[in-house]
Amino acid sequence: MQDIRRSLIAKLMAEPACYIGKTVDVKGWVRSRRGNKYVQFVALNDGSSVKSLQIVFDLNKFSEEDLRQVTTGASIHVQGELVESQGKGQTIEVQAESLEVYGTADPDTYPLQKKGHSLEFLRDKAHLRPRTNYFSCVLRIRHALAYAIHKFFNDKGFYYFHTPLITASDCEGAGAQFQVTTLPLDKLPQDKEGAIDYSKDFFGKMASLTVSGQLEGELGATALGCIYTFGPTFRAENSNTPRHLSEFWMIEPEMAFYEIADNMDLAEEFIKYCISYALEHCKDDIEFLAEHFDKELPERLKFVVENDFVRLPYTEGVRILEESGKKFEFPVYWGVDLASEHERYLVEEHFKKPVILTDYPKEIKAFYMKLNDDGKTVRAMDVLFPKIGEIIGGSQREENYDKLCARMEELGLEGMDWYLDTRRFGSVPHSGFGLGFERLVLFVTGMQNIRDVIPFPRYPKNCEY
Ligand code: ATP
Ligand code: MN
């Protein structure tokens, strides 16, 4: 955790005894500066911790002129001795011996002058918000979760499988797609019937950005056994909600020989592992977010880790909602695709625990889900979380060639011969699910809006940076 030219502030703070009395080089950005005519204190942050390191400039050694450029936002290199702090609020500080200013930040124009900017204000300054305490916490937690995800699957013998981002299969069905084309939009080539002639397009056919890597993931699982994807996904749905992005990251494990119960076990173990990992490795960041935004955050995280998720068939869930006597904005009846308010009622008010809802009506779920013996429901499983609603969507897949073909015909899905080959040759029971990465980050950080847990959010009418 230390490169040749600098000490990471996180490291100095974690093991002060190893460094006290030694000369250290710290490099970072000035968060604030205060003091009097004898001494100046600078809070320096280098991104390795939410905590800033206090640098003490003795004005016998440094002149006002030396320090003129040391203003909020400026980047500096300080060499000095690490000592125990005499002041309150920090245990260690650096007695500056030399100062190098890399880049100045004009106080009249640097946007992050004062503390406590609103999240909305910072969203407009998304290019600079990683320099705020709050957002750096989110980004470090995001990183830790991504690492935990790879570690979890790697340790279990899953293979990281890369599915394409550009796809020509329009059967994914998970959401509206963004088209990918190099055709001139002002002069589209037409065929004899006057339709757009996609044979002239870059791929010789219509193509779009993927909404899910699952179908290709199944090809991986039916060869390698267990795989997972972890990549960006694109959905052109016009949902201006605090839980939807147009570009988000998704983790999609797919497992040969797993049935629905195995799938649920894995989903529960996986999500608990990720949250435990963050609790263990992101203590300072979670503490900071709890203190400033969401007092109950640590308790909520521990609660999810320590309690079994409820497992409940959709039909039961609908009955509970109908009998709740609660006035919902959207009506609830058997067959309806549950809205977030319904999901959250079950989780937050009825069970007060995460819920895995299973066996949904086939009409509201994707074509590839395995049909139950009742002929009406499919082996779907959605994991519902407090504050979030759906965090995972998954299912056991239909492995029977004839049943799958019949369902695809019903829905008019064609041109998926490559997918059907998994059922034609050596078909096996298999299952998988998709976790929206940002929904997980949202839960672990306690943030309210999904646009605040990704560095550069994309949503309708917003594509900055
Ligand atoms: P929702 O009903 O919330 O729109 P969905 O049914 O469309 O979700 P799936 O297609 O099952 O979701 O996708 C799997 C997971 O991806 C979801 O459980 C969720 O965590 C995440 N997800 C889906 N759409 C989005 C989005 N637009 N932005 C961020 N995450 C998403
Ligand atoms: Mn959706």
Side-chain angles (χ1 to χ4, degrees):
M1 267 250 291
Q2 186 172 21
D3 73 29
I4 304 163
R5 279 166 243 99
R6 68 170 174 135
S7 297
L8 292 184
I9 290 172
K11 183 90 175 158
L12 301 179
M13 300 243 182
E15 297 176 323
C18 303
Y19 299 95
I20 283 174
K22 296 201 173 121
T23 296
V24 296
D25 285 82
V26 286
K27 302 180 178 185
W29 294 267
V30 173
R31 280 285 205 268
S32 65
R33 185 180 137 196
R34 63 187 174 84
N36 51 42
K37 58 183 193 275
Y38 309 108
V39 63
Q40 291 279 308
F41 301 102
V42 165
L44 188 70
N45 193 284
D46 69 357
S48 64
S49 167
V50 68
K51 294 179 178 157
S52 293
L53 180 64
Q54 174 153 289
I55 313 289
V56 184
F57 289 96
D58 181 342
L59 292 184
N60 290 320
K61 269 191 223 155
F62 296 89
S63 68
E64 260 305 327
E65 181 54 26
D66 293 335
L67 297 180
R68 192 177 47 82
Q69 296 178 320
V70 181
T71 58
T72 299
S75 48
I76 61 173
H77 167 199
V78 172
Q79 194 175 63
E81 190 186 332
L82 192 83
V83 298
E84 261 175 87
S85 177
Q86 287 114 45
K88 278 203 193 117
Q90 65 277 321
T91 50
I92 52 169
E93 62 192 22
V94 170
Q95 294 286 348
E97 276 143 31
S98 73
L99 165 72
E100 178 186 359
V101 176
Y102 290 119
T104 58
D106 181 352
D108 293 330
T109 51
Y110 183 58
L112 305 179
Q113 280 304 333
K114 67 176 176 63
K115 285 185 176 172
H117 289 298
S118 74
L119 296 178
E120 289 73 24
F121 172 86
L122 293 176
R123 216 173 288 148
D124 280 342
K125 301 269 179 280
H127 60 300
L128 290 173
R129 66 182 179 169
R131 292 193 187 186
T132 63
N133 282 340
Y134 125 73
F135 205 67
S136 72
C137 285
V138 171
L139 290 179
R140 279 184 297 269
I141 292 172
R142 192 181 160 102
H143 162 81
L145 287 170
Y147 178 76
I149 286 164
H150 285 297
K151 181 161 166 50
F152 175 84
F153 285 120
N154 181 68
D155 291 355
K156 273 196 168 313
F158 282 54
Y159 296 105
Y160 183 23
F161 189 69
H162 294 99
T163 50
L165 301 191
I166 300 175
T167 168
S169 91
D170 56 2
C171 297
E172 288 173 347
Q177 295 183 295
F178 288 102
Q179 203 174 329
V180 174
T181 182
T182 53
L183 290 177
L185 294 181
D186 53 349
K187 224 170 81 210
L188 290 169
Q190 294 183 337
D191 62 17
K192 288 195 198 81
E193 281 87 50
I196 296 167
D197 183 1
Y198 281 108
S199 70
K200 303 252 163 44
D201 205 348
F202 189 88
F203 297 107
K205 54 170 128 173
M206 199 170 154
S208 19
L209 294 177
T210 186
V211 293
S212 157
Q214 182 207 312
L215 300 185
E216 294 89 349
E218 287 184 51
L219 298 167
T222 51
L224 297 168
C226 292
I227 62 97
Y228 69 104
T229 72
F230 188 171
T233 327
F234 309 87
R235 295 194 184 175
E237 50 200 11
N238 198 3
S239 14
N240 260 305
T241 80
R243 296 177 318 281
H244 288 88
L245 290 164
S246 313
E247 176 181 291
F248 65 99
W249 289 65
M250 183 137 75
I251 300 97
E252 295 182 278
E254 190 70 36
M255 299 76 64
F257 315 112
Y258 271 53
E259 306 216 3
I260 187 74
D262 310 311
N263 203 20
M264 285 193 265
D265 290 345
L266 182 76
E268 185 168 342
E269 184 190 344
F270 168 55
I271 211 157
K272 285 179 171 172
Y273 178 91
C274 294
I275 297 171
S276 305
Y277 188 92
L279 278 168
E280 188 179 336
H281 293 89
C282 306
K283 281 202 184 77
D284 289 350
D285 293 328
I286 290 174
E287 217 168 84
F288 179 89
L289 293 172
E291 196 177 309
H292 291 85
F293 295 97
D294 183 354
K295 297 259 175 304
E296 286 141 32
L297 177 64
E299 279 316 305
R300 195 159 58 246
L301 298 181
K302 282 184 207 127
F303 182 82
V304 166
V305 170
E306 286 162 8
N307 284 280
D308 289 345
F309 296 2
V310 173
R311 299 180 183 196
L312 185 80
Y314 167 92
T315 303
E316 276 294 294
V318 168
R319 194 183 53 76
I320 292 170
L321 290 166
E322 282 172 338
E323 289 172 3
S324 69
K326 178 131 177 150
K327 269 253 158 291
F328 293 111
E329 188 187 341
F330 298 99
V332 54
Y333 51 90
W334 199 93
V336 77
D337 199 358
L338 297 182
S340 173
E341 56 168 345
H342 306 134
E343 299 173 339
R344 292 185 58 178
Y345 175 82
L346 289 174
V347 171
E348 290 166 22
E349 295 182 50
H350 189 82
F351 290 109
K352 300 192 164 63
K353 272 183 188 183
V355 173
I356 311 184
L357 214 55
T358 60
D359 305 295
Y360 283 73
K362 68 173 181 189
E363 284 76 21
I364 57 170
K365 288 293 180 186
F367 73 94
Y368 48 72
M369 297 191 183
K370 186 174 173 66
L371 193 63
N372 280 318
D373 293 339
D374 62 11
K376 288 195 311 197
T377 58
V378 289
R379 285 196 199 164
M381 48 156 253
D382 281 7
V383 181
L384 313 178
F385 253 45
K387 295 210 149 216
I388 309 280
E390 180 187 329
I391 193 162
I392 283 180
S395 68
Q396 182 171 346
R397 321 304 190 190
E398 182 58 77
E399 83 269 23
N400 181 289
Y401 176 79
D402 294 325
K403 285 190 191 164
L404 185 59
C405 281
R407 186 71 182 131
M408 290 173 73
E409 224 161 84
E410 251 171 53
L411 296 171
L413 300 175
E414 287 166 356
M416 300 259 295
D417 234 34
W418 56 268
Y419 181 68
L420 287 169
D421 269 0
T422 54
R423 275 64 164 179
R424 271 192 200 103
F425 309 114
S427 186
V428 289
H430 63 289
S431 301
F433 61 80
L435 166 77
F437 185 51
E438 283 75 17
R439 295 216 185 152
L440 176 66
V441 182
L442 202 54
F443 184 73
V444 174
T445 57
M447 287 288 126
Q448 306 283 336
N449 193 317
I450 200 164
R451 296 171 187 178
D452 296 331
V453 299
I454 186 167
F456 305 104
R458 268 83 183 90
Y459 49 92
K461 300 282 175 287
N462 188 290
C463 194
E464 295 298 315
Y465 321 108

